[in-house]
Amino acid sequence: MTDQDDLGRVVDLLTRQVSHWQAPRWSAPAAAGDGTRGDAVHRLVQRLADLAADVEGRVRQEVPRLDNDTSLPDQLRVVAADLVAAGPSPEVLVAAAGDVAGVRAVL
């Protein structure tokens, strides 16, 4: 299994865990850290987007926080795919997978 597969697996696990959530579950406090579960996932989406920008040599841009947190699993899938498509080093993929697993653990 490649590092790319590992990232895909943990993203899939997280999105399956949360994709059926309604607003009250997203707005509940995260088990660790500041803010809500939605805040934790949005910060993860931003970290992955930043990693992709770094790999591609682009300026980092803020990922918009959409009005409905139920869109976060889709945002996560898209930015994870963007990161993989950027061709990052194995170390970046391992770090990204660790970030996803860490967020999954606090939800």
Side-chain angles (χ1 to χ4, degrees), residues 34-97:
D34 294 331
T36 66
R37 292 169 171 172
D39 295 336
V41 175
H42 185 262
R43 283 191 298 268
L44 173 63
V45 167
Q46 185 65 60
R47 281 196 305 275
L48 296 183
D50 290 346
L51 286 173
D54 293 348
V55 168
E56 293 175 338
R58 291 184 291 109
V59 174
R60 292 179 175 188
Q61 296 182 5
E62 184 177 340
V63 175
R65 179 75 179 262
L66 303 176
D67 291 338
N68 191 340
D69 283 343
T70 60
S71 62
L72 285 167
D74 290 332
Q75 278 189 308
L76 177 60
R77 284 185 194 103
V78 169
V79 297
D82 287 348
L83 175 57
V84 169
S89 68
E91 294 82 12
V92 170
L93 289 169
V94 167

Side-chain angles (χ1 to χ4, degrees), residues 1-13 80 84 90 93-94 97:
M1 184 174 278
T2 67
D3 297 322
Q4 182 176 332
D5 293 333
D6 287 342
L7 177 60
R9 183 183 58 79
V10 294
V11 167
D12 188 50
L13 287 171
V84 169
L93 289 169
V94 167

